[in-house]
Amino acid sequence: MNHTNLTLKSSIPSSQIHFIDLEAQQAKIRPQVDQAIKQVLDHGIYIMGPEVAEFEKNLGNFCGAKNNLSCSNGTDALALGLMAFGVQSGDAIFVPSFTFAATAEVVTWFGATPIFIDVLEETFNMDPDSLEKGIALAKKLSLNPKGIIPVDLFGLPADYDRIEALAKEHSLWILADAAQSFGATYKGRQVGTLGDIATTSFFPAKPLGCYGDGGAVFTNNDEYAAVMRSIRVHGQGSDKYDNVRIGMNGRLDTLQAAILLQKLAIFPQEIEARHKVAQRYHAGLKDVVKTPFIPEGLTSVWAQYTLQLPDHINRKELMAKLQEAKIPSVIYYVKPLHMQTAYKDYPCAEEQLPVAEKLADSVLSLPMHPYLEEKVQDYIIEVFHDLIIKA
Ligand SMILES: *Cc1c(COP(=O)(O)O)cnc(C)c1O
């Protein structure tokens, strides 16, 4: 491929641009991380060491939830929530189709039925109108509508006002899948305090990530918290040798907690930097492509910066040309869950989920991280702009 049709002010960089730059972050905090790891190696309490409790305390200070429990990963966090709610066979749980597989996967672990809900084109998040249809369908299928798992996709909180109203009307709980949105806000409320239980993931590529697997559950409800605390350690009771319920091994490693303590310390600055990157993309690209929309009173933590391409753009070709210019781009998500092999036989709220299907064909995510330098971002904007205009 040649670039003779590109009229760039800047030249193509010699090395690949990072989609997410964990190296730059590590360079900034490496001495603190080394020290934190050394401390764990010195005290040797690898499971439930002091760093775990300290990290949980700091998580609470950050998000304001009453109970903050770290756990093994974002998928197990969802499972802990579902187990606290007592999900079982015959239950219908409402999940958006345009999300990562984990959201629906966990529902099936307990024999319950995920019902796929369409999303809104503006926000990529669960469509409350489609949710209403899903609730009606569950009843028609003689399932017991029990709960909603809204996902805060790409870092933007879902429409909790309307979802909470529907939950109340139909006596449903809300398990907020905030794997991508920890650090975002909804009308003055911090993610972690939305929903009856909220969950997040510390997978390395998430906005707050560790160096392995990790996750957390948040709740203001002490009973749910006590149950999840027990389930996280095999269902233990107050007597360690009498397990009072069936549980799992759902703990966060002390080493990961120690690393997360250092990352959480710089997280507020990183969120600010993410906002700046998003603003600059918006200013540079809004005239050629549909940039993300943030509803009044909400903030995103920009887990992804996801564009919607115009119909006439050939996405594959665009991605190849971006790659030629050393710019990585990724499709989140290529296939909505209701069209994937493992999930296609579960019910959908409507005959089709047209928005989820359309988005899967038109979205594209650009490099997004707190350490994206202005000159590199200007280059990305310039190349992208040029490719769209000339397509
Ligand atoms: C990443 C992610 C999860 C799962 O988190 P893991 O820590 O990888 O298990 C769940 N839901 C959503 C929306 C995610 O993006």
Side-chain angles (χ1 to χ4, degrees):
M1 200 174 333
N2 70 69
H3 285 276
T4 46
N5 60 341
L6 276 179
T7 46
L8 300 177
K9 278 183 273 148
S10 31
S11 53
I12 294 175
S14 55
S15 60
Q16 171 82 356
I17 292 168
H18 293 281
F19 189 71
I20 290 175
D21 195 348
L22 293 175
E23 285 165 45
Q25 182 198 49
Q26 189 183 103
K28 192 180 151 85
I29 54 167
R30 183 64 188 256
Q32 294 94 305
V33 170
D34 281 343
Q35 182 57 32
I37 291 172
K38 181 178 180 298
Q39 226 161 17
V40 176
L41 299 190
D42 286 347
H43 69 52
I45 310 170
Y46 304 124
I47 300 294
M48 292 308 225
E51 286 83 357
V52 173
E54 193 186 343
F55 175 58
E56 290 179 345
K57 191 177 109 235
N58 290 6
L59 274 181
N61 291 340
F62 180 90
C63 78
K66 190 170 172 208
N67 301 283
N68 303 269
L69 275 76
S70 61
C71 68
S72 36
N73 58 66
T75 307
D76 288 348
L78 289 166
L80 284 167
L82 294 180
M83 288 167 91
F85 292 130
V87 167
Q88 56 186 10
S89 168
D91 291 351
I93 313 298
F94 306 98
V95 300
S97 178
F98 196 57
T99 178
F100 181 63
T103 314
E105 171 183 33
V106 288
V107 172
T108 69
W109 289 1
F110 305 99
T113 305
I115 295 189
F116 291 114
I117 308 298
D118 209 358
V119 294
L120 296 162
E121 199 170 328
E122 292 289 306
T123 60
F124 309 116
N125 282 331
M126 183 180 265
D127 176 356
D129 291 334
S130 182
L131 173 59
E132 274 199 283
K133 290 177 192 156
I135 296 169
L137 175 72
K139 292 175 182 162
K140 218 171 95 185
L141 296 174
S142 300
L143 295 166
N144 306 314
K146 281 291 170 67
I148 309 164
I149 312 184
V151 177
D152 303 338
L153 207 70
F154 308 143
L156 177 71
D159 185 353
Y160 286 94
D161 282 348
R162 284 202 59 202
I163 292 170
E164 281 171 355
L166 285 170
K168 200 161 176 216
E169 185 185 335
H170 298 276
S171 304
L172 307 170
W173 44 254
I174 297 174
L175 178 60
D177 182 350
Q180 302 181 7
S181 65
F182 188 70
T185 61
Y186 181 88
K187 302 183 183 178
R189 299 158 71 188
Q190 195 79 35
V191 163
T193 63
L194 300 158
D196 297 288
I197 296 174
T199 67
T200 199
S201 164
F202 304 124
F203 182 82
K206 308 282 165 148
L208 178 63
C210 55
Y211 290 149
D213 278 309
V217 290
F218 309 89
T219 182
N220 288 334
N221 181 310
D222 294 340
E223 280 168 43
Y224 290 148
V227 173
M228 292 191 290
R229 205 177 286 282
S230 161
I231 292 171
R232 181 174 65 169
V233 190
H234 306 289
Q236 74 176 18
S238 46
D239 173 354
K240 177 170 168 188
Y241 297 102
D242 183 32
N243 293 303
V244 295
R245 56 175 65 78
I246 307 285
M248 62 198 262
N249 176 356
R251 297 172 299 235
L252 179 73
D253 291 346
T254 308
L255 272 171
Q256 299 303 342
I259 290 158
L260 280 163
L261 274 167
Q262 301 310 319
K263 294 223 195 179
L264 184 58
I266 57 163
F267 192 43
Q269 283 160 254
E270 290 190 336
I271 293 172
E272 278 313 306
R274 285 175 182 277
H275 286 312
K276 284 212 184 83
V277 171
Q279 277 160 12
R280 298 183 92 247
Y281 270 142
H282 177 73
L285 297 175
K286 67 179 192 304
D287 62 324
V288 292
V289 65
K290 198 163 165 190
T291 55
F293 167 76
I294 307 298
E296 183 77 32
L298 278 62
T299 63
S300 174
V301 74
W302 302 108
Q304 301 297 341
Y305 191 83
T306 305
L307 304 164
Q308 293 177 53
L309 302 175
D311 286 342
H312 70 278
I313 298 290
N314 180 323
R315 183 168 58 178
K316 250 194 175 150
E317 243 168 53
L318 175 68
M319 290 175 78
K321 285 181 182 163
L322 286 167
Q323 190 45 57
E324 284 286 310
K326 302 262 169 59
I327 301 169
S329 60
V330 183
I331 302 169
Y332 294 116
Y333 296 92
V334 177
K335 238 186 204 190
L337 290 183
H338 72 279
M339 298 171 81
Q340 294 190 17
T341 308
Y343 297 99
K344 64 180 175 13
D345 295 327
Y346 289 107
C348 288
E350 303 159 72
E351 208 149 303
Q352 278 183 312
L353 303 180
V355 180
E357 289 170 28
K358 182 185 169 196
L359 288 174
D361 287 336
S362 63
V363 289
L364 191 65
S365 300
L366 293 182
M368 163 54 82
H369 59 81
Y371 304 97
L372 189 58
E373 290 170 30
E374 284 192 8
K375 67 175 197 311
V376 176
Q377 193 181 9
D378 287 342
Y379 167 75
I380 296 169
I381 290 170
E382 189 189 353
V383 171
F384 191 91
H385 204 275
D386 213 58
L387 287 171
I388 295 283
I389 285 182
K390 300 209 167 116

